[in-house]
Amino acid sequence: MPLWAWDHDEARVREDRSYFAAHHVNDTFPARGATEHQRTLAEMVMTVQGAGFELLHLAEHPQPFWMPEDEDAAAAWDGRLPNALSLLARRRS
């Protein structure tokens, strides 16, 4: 969620963020200024495989794993952008 703009009419990456940045300061609730490290989907998958795991399932989901209760829905949450992912892997024998 910290990557997407909270605009109500346009689903987009915030102007002060980058999908490829290694980290950013999260100014949203509940982080309020914490530095967050981010990885691309490719970096996560390659790390899992590089650690000797077999990828069994990978999916992106339009629903965010958390939405603030007191905020209006942002366009980024309307199903056009990935907001969560699921990954299942097992160690190769």
Side-chain angles (χ1 to χ4, degrees), residues 30-49:
R32 304 275 189 224
T35 298
E36 290 188 348
H37 300 272
Q38 66 184 37
R39 302 294 177 253
T40 65
L41 182 58
E43 287 173 317
M44 288 186 277
V45 169
M46 296 309 294
T47 299
V48 168
Q49 289 181 325

Side-chain angles (χ1 to χ4, degrees), residues 4-91:
W4 308 131
W6 287 41
D7 298 342
H8 302 290
D9 59 343
E10 181 183 2
R12 64 178 177 84
V13 173
R14 287 177 45 164
E15 292 178 7
D16 62 337
R17 301 284 161 83
S18 169
Y19 176 79
F20 296 102
H23 56 82
H24 63 267
V25 174
N26 185 343
D27 57 1
T28 62
F29 180 83
R32 304 275 189 224
T35 298
E36 290 188 348
H37 300 272
Q38 66 184 37
R39 302 294 177 253
T40 65
L41 182 58
E43 287 173 317
M44 288 186 277
V45 169
M46 296 309 294
T47 299
V48 168
Q49 289 181 325
F53 287 84
E54 175 186 6
L55 184 62
L56 301 175
H57 167 85
L58 176 64
E60 295 175 287
H61 309 281
Q63 303 84 9
F65 69 91
W66 172 83
M67 288 176 42
E69 294 178 8
D70 58 344
E71 296 285 334
D72 293 331
W77 307 333
D78 70 1
R80 292 182 283 165
L81 297 175
N83 280 288
L85 65 91
S86 56
L87 184 148
L88 177 64
R90 70 175 165 209
R91 183 164 293 281

